[in-house]
Amino acid sequence: MSVQSVLAYADDHQPQFLDELKTFLGIPSISTLPDRAGDVQRTAEWLADHMRSIGLEHVQVVPTAGHPVVLADWLHAPGRPTVLVYGHYDVQPVDPLELWESDPFRPEVRDENLYARGASDDKGPFFAHLKAVEAYLRTEGALPVNLKIICEGEEEIGSPNLDPLIYARAAELAADLALISDTTILGPDQPSIVYGLRGLCYMEVEVTGPDHDLHSGQYGGAVHNPLQVLCEMIASLHDAQGRVTIPGFYDKVRPLSSEERAELARVPYEEDHLRQETGVPKSWGEAGYTIAERIGARPTLEVNGMIGGWTGPGSKTVLPARALAKISMRLVADQDPDEIDRLFTEHIRRIAPDTVRVEIRGLAHGAPALVERDVPAMAAAARAYEAGFGVRPVFAREGGSIPVVATFQKALGIPTILLGLGLPDDRFHAPNEKFSLANFYRGIATIIHFHSALVGMLAE
Ligand code: BES
Ligand code: ZN
């Protein structure tokens, strides 16, 4: 099988690929807005029709309790590896709309970038996978591997209906590895393979004291203030080294090997870069770790918000009856969100004084993922990036989450290759989201190389 003719087809069909991607991006598949449910459904159907048109088989739009999942396959490479490609066809809301330079659902090319909601997260990168399939099937009439595709419409709302579907169809989805393009690379000339994603454990703590707000002069000094209690508890959750003080919090954290630290040190995330990106006067974090390690490889605890007492203009002398905090923890392998929920709950109960009542509730939970880097598919990905981008990729970890990666590990027992095509300035979830056309086309070439490299690698 000649990869050259496949690559040539992809090169020759760039204008057609771009037109089709524009059509895909033109349907406003915003999963969180009930008013857009029809558009989300329409996107799934458009995608299914497109998959059929390029020669994928068993294409189905599978209904769920929420938005549908699109499945497809091509299984005519007996004895060859099976790749499970995942993507999401849903997008984030577009607000604030006035900050967009062009309509988020009328894709527009400016300066070799395609501007639209979902351009880079994740319709563009996922579409590159379909175009790689098309290039193979139209030239060679076959793929070098067996391929299964699962594309969901609820990733941006936390994939609430995906895990049951994956567990129920585990046999149907069986594969040697999963392949996802839903992350960013370090720069246009520095591809990177993400091998770690953080998880999430989101909690809510409510402290109640008196059964109504009190006059602070009448009772101050005799009644423990719930806001003060909450502040004292929260302040004690980090020590002077920036470490989380919850007993057992770090017990399951897989330590960084010296090899991983060396690899992460190649990530150019400097103090100045952080200051410039965020506007902070100085970085902060756990002592003994670099910025890249703090974001990608260490667990953290953040106060997302607090409610309580008087916050209006002027002064009101009050001892509030209640105070509430939203606290989330980003987790790393091998921390378990349910166990962290338990450790957090036990710790807060332990440190809570008996002068107040404390209620603790668990909200969103998502598992972290760390992919083995010494699997043959990683070598195939490195070789593919080198061929597609002309540069050897580095390994990186991301602070964000893609919960399905852990599900693939647990339910199907397979590693995931995070073959990202986005750039750090693609403005995921923000106005003027864009996808670099160079990355779209180089991405298609990289995916073509990946499938062909995989055959050699897994055979070795
Ligand atoms: N594509 C992103 C994840 C991502 C963002 C990876 C940036 C690498 C760099 C994905 O669509 C997302 O936004 N995930 C959510 C998790 C979800 C449970 C809402 C996140 O990380 O907050
Ligand atoms: Zn995404």
Side-chain angles (χ1 to χ4, degrees), residues 72-129:
D73 64 37
W74 189 92
L75 303 171
H76 304 288
R80 296 281 183 81
T82 300
V83 179
L84 176 61
V85 173
Y86 163 93
H88 63 92
Y89 67 84
D90 65 320
V91 301
Q92 285 273 327
V94 295
D95 322 60
L97 187 59
E98 66 277 11
L99 295 184
W100 285 80
E101 280 174 39
S102 54
D103 187 322
F105 297 110
R106 277 173 204 266
E108 192 177 290
V109 175
R110 298 192 300 271
D111 304 326
E112 294 304 302
N113 289 306
L114 180 60
Y115 286 84
R117 169 56 83 231
S120 190
D121 183 13
D122 173 45
K123 284 174 169 174
F126 174 70
F127 201 62
H129 287 269

Side-chain angles (χ1 to χ4, degrees), residues 1 71-72 141 151 160 176 211 255-256 264 309 371 377 384 392 419 428 454:
M1 185 177 278
L71 298 176
C151 191
D176 295 293
D211 58 16
L256 277 167
L264 283 172
V371 193
R392 202 184 87 86
L419 200 86
F428 280 20
L454 197 60

Side-chain angles (χ1 to χ4, degrees), residues 88 121 155-156 158 182-184 330 398 400-403 428-429:
H88 63 92
D121 183 13
E155 197 273 351
E156 298 293 6
D182 190 25
T183 48
T184 54
R330 285 275 173 184
E398 288 281 0
S401 313
I402 306 178
F428 280 20
H429 303 190

Side-chain angles (χ1 to χ4, degrees), residues 183-447:
T183 48
T184 54
I185 58 172
L186 291 179
D189 300 313
Q190 184 52 74
S192 47
I193 302 175
V194 173
Y195 69 97
L197 291 163
R198 291 200 286 187
L200 193 74
C201 174
Y202 204 115
M203 308 294 294
E204 199 170 78
V205 180
E206 185 171 8
V207 178
T208 35
D211 58 16
H212 59 280
D213 283 3
L214 304 175
H215 186 290
S216 67
Q218 257 181 315
Y219 296 99
V223 168
H224 210 165
N225 183 324
L227 258 177
Q228 179 194 338
V229 171
L230 197 52
C231 289
E232 284 168 351
M233 290 198 296
I234 289 173
S236 77
L237 294 178
H238 287 97
D239 66 15
Q241 273 67 50
R243 281 174 66 88
V244 177
T245 57
I246 299 168
F249 185 74
Y250 294 97
D251 283 3
K252 296 278 170 68
V253 174
R254 209 185 291 182
L256 277 167
S257 68
S258 49
E259 191 202 358
E260 280 174 301
R261 298 194 85 161
E263 193 73 54
L264 283 172
R266 297 177 55 161
V267 177
Y269 210 143
E270 309 293 346
E271 174 80 21
D272 284 351
H273 184 66
L274 181 85
R275 290 185 194 183
Q276 188 215 321
E277 256 185 7
T278 62
V280 294
K282 194 167 184 276
S283 71
W284 174 88
E286 189 182 357
Y289 293 92
T290 65
I291 294 173
E293 289 168 352
R294 289 171 184 173
I295 293 172
R298 298 295 295 169
T300 59
L301 181 147
E302 275 86 29
V303 188
N304 298 267
M306 288 178 71
I307 307 166
W310 176 249
T311 55
S315 53
K316 181 187 183 206
T317 46
V318 65
L319 199 161
R322 78 185 262 279
L324 185 140
K326 296 198 175 255
I327 299 170
S328 69
M329 290 156 281
R330 285 275 173 184
L331 311 178
V332 300
D334 296 310
Q335 289 175 299
D336 169 27
D338 295 333
E339 191 186 351
I340 295 297
D341 178 321
R342 183 175 59 76
L343 293 174
F344 177 90
T345 305
E346 285 171 4
H347 182 63
I348 297 292
R349 288 205 196 297
R350 211 166 26 238
I351 63 173
D354 58 7
T355 47
V356 294
R357 280 170 291 272
V358 176
E359 235 185 84
I360 304 150
R361 292 178 283 270
L363 305 178
H365 286 29
L370 193 55
V371 193
E372 297 302 329
R373 291 192 301 146
D374 55 5
V375 296
M378 277 293 183
R383 193 181 281 185
Y385 268 129
E386 213 169 337
F389 283 73
V391 184
R392 202 184 87 86
V394 295
F395 283 104
R397 297 202 195 198
E398 288 281 0
S401 313
I402 306 178
V404 78
V405 175
T407 309
F408 284 153
Q409 265 168 349
K410 261 200 304 193
L412 306 178
I414 55 173
T416 294
I417 304 299
L418 292 157
L419 200 86
L421 299 178
L423 290 175
D425 65 353
D426 277 353
R427 299 185 202 97
F428 280 20
H429 303 190
N432 301 309
E433 178 179 350
K434 56 129 178 111
F435 188 35
S436 143
L437 290 182
N439 276 26
F440 181 39
Y441 304 132
R442 290 195 291 190
I444 296 167
T446 302
I447 295 161

Side-chain angles (χ1 to χ4, degrees), residues 45-78:
E45 279 156 18
W46 182 89
L47 201 53
D49 285 344
H50 192 75
M51 286 174 174
R52 286 185 197 101
S53 79
I54 62 170
L56 283 162
E57 299 172 351
H58 305 113
V59 180
Q60 318 169 51
V61 176
V62 183
T64 72
H67 302 305
V69 171
V70 184
L71 298 176
D73 64 37
W74 189 92
L75 303 171
H76 304 288

